[in-house]
Amino acid sequence: MAHLLMVESWVGSMSRLLPRAIREAGHEFTFLTRDLHHYLRSAPEGTAHPLLAARHVLTTETNDTDALPAFVERAHEALRFDGVITSCDYYLGTAARIAGRLGLPGPTPDAVDNACRKDATRRVLAEAGLPGPRFAVCADWAEVAAAAHDLGYPLVFKPVDLCAGMFVRRVDDEAALADAFRALAAFPVNARGQHREPVVLLEELLRGPEVSVETVSHDGAVHVVGVTDKTLGGAPAFIETGHMFPAALDAADTEAAEETARRALKALGLDGVVAHTEIKLTADGPRVVEVNPRPAGNRITELVRHVTGIDLAGACVDVALGREPDLRRRATGLTSAAIGFLVPDEPGVLAAVEGADAVRTADGLLELRLADPGRTVRAADDNNEYLGHVMAGDARGLAARDRVASLLAQLRPRVVTR
């Protein structure tokens, strides 16, 4: 039995999947957080949050990078950790630094920091010779406006250190660029109380389908588990509306996406991580969108598990302990699995999601999760406002996406405006 230190977590599915993987492997964990109530608020009423299955819950200011190392060293002396883990992007670098400080397995902090900072990723990949979009990193409005003029519209406007598509926008002219700049400037602190880096990344708009490559890196080798496709909506935002695993690609595009992900991970120096690398398949070849040194969100790990039997949350636990991950494929009875999200387009209060009873009994359904009535609804402009999802599988081919689309069409959220 091993003992892991979990430093913060997302509050979505990974906050449940990682504790499950730790438990099923026969290990235990201590949970370290600055605000336990942040997680308790996300637990369904009447149930205990899986993070409370921790052997210990420690509370300290996890954003205090000066005091945190000494606190963790004292905890390690008393509790003895074998690995450090997190699912939250905002603490991936912190976890890597703690592992290094304690002499435990893990990726190098510099590699994680460069992957988590979108501007640093662009620079590292460009220096390594990976083709990418033309880009500029800007510190103020004058630089932003000048860089946009030089790059030419349309552009993608991005913060360098936020997640879930927050404030990422397509901009087609200077007026839209100014709106995006003002909106981001009004958000100086992220949801975990960390001050955002006040710089902007502008990128040439990449055209083509987007996929992600799911990988596990261990002992210097990158293992590709597969390629997932993605659908986007909510323009000018980039909201993920669905995914399917495996992606419906020909062999050449699949190989090109996989090789691009391998090159990106090697360029960044990422090892000892489960990674989710997003790639655009452009007419000029694959181009990296971003590299995430943690398991995929939006239940993609579950799509992979339903099709291949590979548990990427379990692999994340293995590599955090410095152990060889179990990546053996197993027969599951499914050849594809897909997920689609209910994305609200108007604000108000959710009264009901009609049509759910019929969907619950549908053939091929793997999951149906819906927001409870009474929830306050905001018109979505990122990936944080879903009203639920449908997941379905196909045993004979790549029809899972079509099955999900037909089930989603039966769901009718009824939002009451105030």
Side-chain angles (χ1 to χ4, degrees), residues 79-269:
L79 303 176
R80 306 311 301 176
F81 305 120
D82 301 296
V84 186
I85 200 167
T86 185
S87 65
C88 182
D89 297 56
Y90 299 133
Y91 295 95
L92 289 166
T94 300
R97 280 183 281 277
I98 290 173
R101 181 85 171 231
L102 301 182
L104 298 176
T108 66
D110 284 348
V112 173
D113 288 344
N114 284 336
C116 290
R117 278 284 300 258
K118 296 177 177 64
D119 54 338
T121 300
R122 283 282 171 245
R123 292 191 185 103
V124 170
L125 297 188
E127 290 170 0
L130 270 76
R134 293 178 297 119
F135 70 94
V137 181
C138 311
D140 55 35
W141 169 248
E143 288 187 9
V144 168
H149 181 269
D150 291 341
L151 291 170
Y153 296 99
L155 294 168
V156 178
F157 173 98
K158 293 181 178 181
V160 298
D161 56 359
L162 293 178
C163 309
M166 294 182 67
F167 297 97
V168 180
R169 297 291 181 271
R170 169 177 170 151
V171 293
D172 292 299
D173 54 38
E174 188 166 301
L177 181 66
D179 288 343
F181 183 84
R182 283 193 294 267
L184 180 59
F187 190 81
V189 179
N190 69 25
R192 299 310 181 92
Q194 298 168 339
H195 286 275
R196 181 181 60 77
E197 288 293 331
V199 294
V200 168
L201 178 63
L202 294 182
E203 296 179 352
E204 171 190 11
L205 179 69
L206 296 172
R207 301 181 187 275
E210 185 169 331
V211 300
S212 61
V213 182
E214 321 310 334
T215 58
V216 182
S217 300
H218 173 68
D219 200 20
V222 177
H223 305 277
V224 175
V225 175
V227 181
T228 311
D229 74 10
K230 177 187 297 187
T231 54
L232 295 169
F238 295 85
I239 300 173
E240 297 179 1
T241 59
H243 305 275
M244 186 173 76
F245 183 91
L249 300 176
D250 62 31
D253 281 342
T254 299
E255 183 179 356
E258 292 178 352
E259 181 58 23
T260 299
R262 287 191 187 94
R263 291 181 62 195
L265 292 168
K266 289 291 187 181
L268 288 162

Side-chain angles (χ1 to χ4, degrees), residues 373-389:
R375 170 175 160 174
T376 299
V377 177
R378 183 174 69 91
D381 56 12
D382 55 45
N383 298 329
N384 292 316
E385 301 300 326
Y386 300 134
L387 295 180
H389 70 255

